[in-house]
Amino acid sequence: DLVRSRGLGDVYKRQVHGLKQQVQLNPSIDIVPHLRQTLVSGGFGLSYYGNKEGEMFRHDPSLNKAGYDPRVRGWYKQTLAENRAVTTKPYVSVTMQTLVVTLTDPVTENGSIIGVVASNLALDKLIEDVLAIQVPGNGRAILIDKQGTVVAHKNKDFILKQVKEIAPELSVSGLNSAAQNLTTIFTQVDGDERVIMAEPIKGTDWLLVIEMDKDVLEQPLFDMLISQITTCLLYTSPSPRDRTRS
């Protein structure tokens, strides 16, 4: 449900926020059962909590590693720096061995952050759904995050690369402008004249990018296409319960 109408924030972040509330109500709580509940309810691959003392708790204690200090990790430092719940850039999880994002939420006491709860969400099913989208004009669907990092692309060499590596004319600002103004971008990809359109995915800060041959440029086709693709992404992704096998 990463891209269904309620959005990433309403589906997955709510699970992490609920975990944060449990810890804030009782900072000395036995957190492992709550981590397990969050893991199952949200369909996450990992759920964990790191505190300001450098202690790390995981839903499965057998995954704990001696000497691991959450305070020096990117997800912890970013949450402290922004002082809010964050969703990290996609990365390959060493533990899960797949592309994930980490959702975090700071735990506070008397106005100060005492720790960070977090969960890893695997993106494999979302990527499959994006790649399965049928685009006319020898086209394809691409998914990028707000920094312009490619999350889904038929050419795996582009995964986790910047979108401008697909074509120099492509940029995050340009794609956002195209999405907001319902305009198109013309560029060359692998020597072919291509037309690019973009659509924000509701509830996230990601963009769905559609690339196709320039000769299919007909605005009614674009309108119909984006409607069909958005509908596809809103309603075909699995529920969190279905993702517990990740």
Side-chain angles (χ1 to χ4, degrees):
D1 284 357
L2 185 59
V3 289
R4 65 189 301 177
S5 57
R6 289 175 293 174
L8 177 61
D10 292 335
V11 179
Y12 296 108
K13 290 184 179 180
R14 188 166 54 215
Q15 300 292 336
V16 177
H17 185 71
L19 176 61
K20 166 238 187 84
Q21 290 179 318
Q22 291 296 322
V23 181
Q24 285 189 168
L25 286 172
N26 181 9
S28 61
I29 193 174
D30 178 7
I31 195 173
V32 173
H34 295 277
L35 291 171
R36 290 174 178 161
Q37 181 179 351
T38 299
L39 180 89
V40 174
S41 299
F44 297 112
L46 290 172
S47 290
Y48 43 96
Y49 171 59
N51 64 27
K52 65 178 183 178
E53 283 77 32
E55 297 174 307
M56 182 70 172
F57 303 89
R58 294 178 172 86
H59 73 275
D60 180 355
S62 70
L63 296 174
N64 293 336
K65 302 174 183 178
Y68 184 97
D69 188 342
R71 297 171 298 183
V72 302
R73 302 292 169 165
W75 55 270
Y76 193 101
K77 293 167 68 175
Q78 182 182 353
T79 306
L80 260 63
E82 299 189 23
N83 193 26
R84 64 178 180 88
V86 302
T87 301
T88 68
K89 292 179 60 175
Y91 65 97
V92 177
S93 167
V94 174
T95 303
M96 296 172 61
Q97 288 296 299
T98 191
L99 194 65
V100 304
V101 290
T102 295
L103 284 70
T104 77
D105 212 335
V107 177
T108 61
E109 186 177 49
N110 298 323
S112 299
I113 296 178
I114 61 172
V116 176
V117 294
S119 291
N120 288 5
L121 178 66
L123 301 180
D124 50 356
K125 185 60 174 67
L126 171 62
I127 291 173
E128 290 177 11
D129 289 345
V130 171
L131 297 183
I133 295 173
Q134 298 297 311
V135 182
N138 191 30
R140 57 190 161 204
I142 304 165
L143 186 66
I144 68 169
D145 71 4
K146 66 178 180 180
Q147 290 87 15
T149 303
V150 177
V151 179
H153 194 287
K154 287 184 178 179
N155 184 344
K156 293 183 179 180
D157 291 339
F158 286 124
I159 302 298
L160 297 184
K161 301 287 183 61
Q162 286 295 298
V163 68
K164 65 182 179 182
E165 296 198 25
I166 298 174
E169 294 82 2
L170 297 182
S171 66
V172 177
S173 59
L175 289 168
N176 275 318
S177 176
Q180 293 170 3
N181 300 315
L182 301 179
T183 56
T184 54
I185 299 172
F186 298 96
T187 187
Q188 280 197 346
V189 178
D190 297 329
D192 297 324
E193 294 291 331
R194 306 288 277 178
V195 60
I196 307 291
M197 58 187 297
E199 175 78 4
I201 297 177
K202 187 176 180 180
T204 78
D205 50 17
W206 292 9
L207 282 177
L208 178 68
V209 178
I210 301 299
E211 172 197 327
M212 68 181 75
D213 285 340
K214 184 178 179 181
D215 58 13
V216 299
L217 179 57
E218 291 182 40
Q219 190 62 44
L221 171 63
F222 281 167
D223 294 342
M224 178 182 67
L225 177 64
I226 201 61
S227 175
Q228 292 175 343
I229 290 173
T230 302
T231 300
C232 171
L233 285 178
L234 292 182
Y235 298 108
T236 62
S237 294
S239 67
R241 186 182 300 273
D242 293 335
R243 294 188 58 87
T244 55
R245 62 181 182 275
S246 299

